[in-house]
Amino acid sequence: MDHSMHMAMGHGDMGHGDMNMGAKCNMNMLFNWSSENLCIIFRSWHITGPFSFLLSLIAIVILTAGYEGVRSATRKYEAAHVQRLSAFLSLPATTGDAEIADPIIANGLADTIHNTRNEGSPLLVGRDNRGTLVRKGKLIMAALYAIQVFYSFFIMLLFMTYNGQVMIAVAVGAFVGYLVFSEGTPAAKTIACH
């Protein structure tokens, strides 16, 4: 039995010839500065030269800054939601108890109170509306939280390329994002994925 053909193919070839299965990606598990055969998260995000590496670093800075934008949008939504809830609770029970400067709002409020009295207790109707507002706010905040968690793990995967330039781009993106979106928010953040 002649094994010369089997030995010529080698174990990795298995007789399939020279099939290019896509870009070759190095999977570094140690800190490095090399961009040769670097794939960032996806096989299709393959660094082919200095220009694609520079564009990728810029994209990473923008992506990381965007995470701070999502966090800022979440904080703004939470504040607006709390304000809506507190405004809902501070509506006067009757128009006689409150002085409302705008006559259109006063008439509308009087009509609303009159209509809710005819349909049932205004406290029950108010509780139902407040409950709906609370549920809707909680759903939206949960969705925003899920987006933040997904985004933070995506950034973690960027960092896990173990490439020094990519790590620096993540830090620069966080810096830029904080400058653009912080609006007086404390810089203290726990070191965690989310």
Side-chain angles (χ1 to χ4, degrees):
M1 191 155 128
D2 185 16
H3 294 289
S4 60
M5 186 176 149
H6 177 68
M7 296 307 242
M9 288 190 319
H11 290 287
D13 192 12
M14 300 302 285
H16 297 292
D18 187 22
M19 292 179 63
N20 187 359
M21 299 297 283
K24 181 182 176 192
C25 296
N26 282 342
M27 186 80 175
N28 292 312
M29 297 303 287
L30 299 172
F31 182 80
N32 67 84
W33 293 96
S34 174
S35 64
E36 185 179 337
N37 290 324
L38 175 64
C39 290
I40 301 174
I41 301 178
F42 307 106
R43 184 177 302 278
S44 60
W45 193 351
H46 184 237
I47 304 303
T48 57
F51 184 68
S52 67
F53 191 48
L54 178 63
L55 287 179
S56 294
L57 293 176
I58 292 169
I60 290 167
V61 168
I62 293 168
L63 279 168
T64 308
Y67 172 69
E68 294 300 324
V70 170
R71 289 183 62 216
S72 175
T74 301
R75 286 189 299 268
K76 286 179 183 176
Y77 179 80
E78 286 175 338
H81 181 65
V82 167
Q83 190 174 21
R84 278 191 300 274
L85 285 176
S86 65
F88 189 87
L89 292 175
S90 65
L91 284 175
T94 65
T95 55
D97 294 343
E99 281 294 317
I100 300 176
D102 188 346
I104 295 172
I105 294 174
N107 289 337
L109 184 59
D111 290 342
T112 302
I113 291 170
H114 176 72
N115 291 339
T116 56
R117 283 192 180 144
N118 292 338
E119 294 171 4
S121 169
L123 295 176
L124 293 177
V125 172
R127 189 177 343 151
D128 289 344
N129 290 339
R130 184 177 186 280
T132 302
L133 186 64
V134 168
R135 282 188 299 276
K136 180 183 173 190
K138 190 167 186 169
L139 281 173
I140 291 171
M141 286 188 288
L144 288 169
Y145 178 75
I147 291 167
Q148 285 184 69
V149 170
F150 178 84
Y151 212 149
S152 66
F153 278 110
F154 189 85
I155 292 170
M156 178 194 66
L157 292 174
L158 289 170
F159 214 85
M160 287 180 62
T161 62
Y162 295 100
N163 183 284
Q165 292 100 325
V166 171
M167 292 176 171
I168 290 170
V170 168
V172 169
F175 174 80
V176 169
Y178 184 79
L179 285 178
V180 172
F181 299 110
S182 69
E183 299 173 8
T185 305
K189 170 129 173 63
T190 59
I191 300 174
C193 294
H194 67 281

